[in-house]
Amino acid sequence: MNKSFQIFVYPHKPDDPFANVLLPEDYNPEGPYTSELYFKKTLFNSHFITKDPNEAHLFYMPFCILHLRHDPRIGPEKLQDFVKDYIFNISHKYPFWNRTGGADHFYTACHSISEIAMDKTVEAKENSIQLVCTSTYFVTDYFPHKDVSLPQIWVKKHDPGTLVSSKRNRLAFFAGRVNSPVRAALFKHWVNDTEIFAHFGGLKTNDGKEQLRSKFCLQVKGFEINTARVTDALHYGCVPVILANHHDLPFTDILYWKSFSVVVHYMDVPVLRKILQWISFEELSWLQSNVMKVRKHFEWNVPAVDYDAFSMTMYELWLRKSSVRV
């Protein structure tokens, strides 16, 4: 992949009226939805870019869903029209979209509003590759066979330092709002438990300290499936416990998630403590060891570093390029 994979990015100039949406940032983005921004910035500075579209395996549509959402000229109300017009323009200016019906084209989005972005462009919805954080099967815009589950990563400025497992004296940790039936069940059963620390709302201090002292960190589905809690847990060396059904975990085509996380059906919330207590010391040590090995796959770097989040995302695209090559 590193030697031959080529991406053509539809070109836009700095004086384009929507340059803020189409070009990468000249700063390091911050916040919970920045995976799409880091991907674009890293791709533009990588060796995967080709200026010759005839050499390209895939074509990148560089509009940023997050910036479109906040642009006063577009916003959520005109998002679908912008995407529709963008695809109309490239399909009439260039021949590449029409060759495959957009099947060798892709875009990125980490905010849940991406679920409606393609509603006025059915061809794009059904054919184009979507790199999205909202990888749930309940969304009609997500197709597991062609789309990619992108990790939602809240980039940390500092490394947590020592991640010694012997100092983790709490069984499990979660902090968050009650905005789903699964979270309501979690608080109903475990809000006053001594081993599972379930805190309603956000902590007044950085929850990294709580994750550092916990063996397991719970990722409990909220209003949407996308969350940075999984990657936060990995950052702090805490074994993620996935309490969210019917969705693709990030890089699911590459990583074996059961080797570094625990997947629990949401119907098993009442017996969650027993499930985690049944995990032997040897199995927990194995999970913690694998957490340390996969942390690098969930980190953004500019420029990219081998096996980081950008490399993993590119490999997911690489796996999909052979099915649409003309």
Side-chain angles (χ1 to χ4, degrees):
M1 180 194 74
N2 271 325
K3 293 181 179 179
S4 60
F5 196 22
Q6 296 283 275
I7 304 289
F8 178 78
V9 180
Y10 284 104
H12 300 280
K13 297 180 180 180
D15 60 353
D16 188 294
F18 288 98
N20 62 310
V21 169
L22 300 167
L23 298 178
E25 288 72 19
D26 56 3
Y27 59 90
N28 288 332
E30 295 182 357
Y33 305 114
T34 54
S35 284
E36 62 177 293
L37 307 180
Y38 270 101
F39 175 82
K40 183 197 294 189
K41 182 173 182 175
T42 311
L43 178 64
F44 273 64
N45 289 280
S46 75
H47 64 278
F48 293 106
I49 296 293
T50 177
K51 293 183 179 181
D52 183 356
N54 295 307
E55 294 180 352
H57 297 93
L58 295 177
F59 297 79
Y60 179 40
M61 299 179 288
F63 51 78
C64 173
I65 296 295
L66 182 63
H67 287 343
L68 285 170
R69 177 178 180 266
H70 293 292
D71 193 308
R73 298 167 295 177
I74 306 298
E77 298 79 12
K78 298 180 181 179
L79 174 62
Q80 297 169 355
D81 291 320
F82 180 94
V83 174
K84 179 183 177 181
D85 292 343
Y86 184 89
I87 292 174
F88 177 86
N89 289 334
I90 63 170
S91 64
H92 284 74
K93 185 176 181 179
Y94 302 93
F96 314 114
W97 177 277
N98 298 320
R99 296 188 310 184
T100 63
D104 53 0
H105 286 58
F106 71 95
Y107 80 99
T108 58
C110 206
H111 195 280
S112 58
I113 201 170
S114 64
E115 296 171 3
I116 64 167
M118 298 291 173
D119 281 359
K120 291 187 177 180
T121 50
V122 177
E123 189 176 46
K125 181 195 300 187
E126 296 181 348
N127 296 344
S128 299
I129 302 168
Q130 302 176 95
L131 305 181
V132 293
C133 295
T134 51
S135 55
T136 173
Y137 300 162
F138 293 115
V139 175
T140 56
D141 288 10
Y142 181 77
F143 297 86
H145 67 280
K146 72 174 181 66
D147 298 331
V148 176
S149 177
L150 195 65
Q152 186 164 324
I153 301 173
W154 196 313
V155 176
K156 303 293 188 294
K157 295 181 179 180
H158 305 289
D159 190 88
T162 179
L163 301 172
V164 179
S165 58
S166 60
K167 294 184 178 181
R168 299 178 183 272
N169 52 17
R170 177 182 287 135
L171 181 64
F173 165 76
F174 174 81
R177 295 177 296 164
V178 179
N179 55 3
S180 71
V182 189
R183 292 190 182 185
L186 178 76
F187 284 110
K188 175 184 176 181
H189 290 280
W190 305 112
V191 70
N192 294 316
D193 192 72
T194 57
E195 296 189 63
I196 296 178
F197 179 35
H199 179 80
F200 177 77
L203 295 176
K204 294 182 179 179
T205 58
N206 190 331
D207 63 6
K209 292 182 179 179
E210 300 299 333
Q211 296 188 67
L212 284 170
R213 60 177 295 200
S214 303
K215 298 180 178 72
F216 300 97
C217 293
L218 310 181
Q219 187 265 300
V220 188
K221 180 187 180 299
F223 182 74
E224 295 289 352
I225 197 69
N226 52 309
T227 175
R229 283 185 174 85
V230 174
T231 53
D232 281 356
L234 296 174
H235 177 77
Y236 290 108
C238 187
V239 177
V241 177
I242 315 296
L243 277 158
N245 297 353
H246 312 301
H247 76 291
D248 279 344
L249 291 164
F251 310 139
T252 191
D253 297 313
I254 308 170
L255 300 176
Y256 182 56
W257 275 80
K258 288 187 177 181
S259 69
F260 61 92
S261 69
V262 179
V263 180
V264 179
H265 195 284
Y266 65 79
M267 296 295 289
D268 291 329
V269 167
V271 292
L272 178 60
R273 184 176 63 189
K274 186 175 291 186
I275 290 173
L276 298 180
Q277 288 174 334
W278 277 345
I279 296 174
S280 66
F281 175 79
E282 290 75 19
E283 184 178 357
L284 176 60
S285 298
W286 176 68
L287 290 168
Q288 290 173 331
S289 174
N290 289 334
V291 163
M292 300 306 296
K293 293 176 182 177
V294 302
R295 288 174 76 231
K296 61 186 177 184
H297 303 319
F298 297 89
E299 297 173 351
W300 292 108
N301 299 285
V302 182
V305 176
D306 285 347
Y307 308 109
D308 68 357
F310 176 75
S311 299
M312 299 290 281
T313 305
M314 291 301 293
Y315 191 67
E316 287 278 18
L317 289 170
W318 169 259
L319 293 176
R320 285 155 174 76
K321 60 128 178 97
S322 60
S323 62
V324 295
R325 183 66 171 159
V326 178

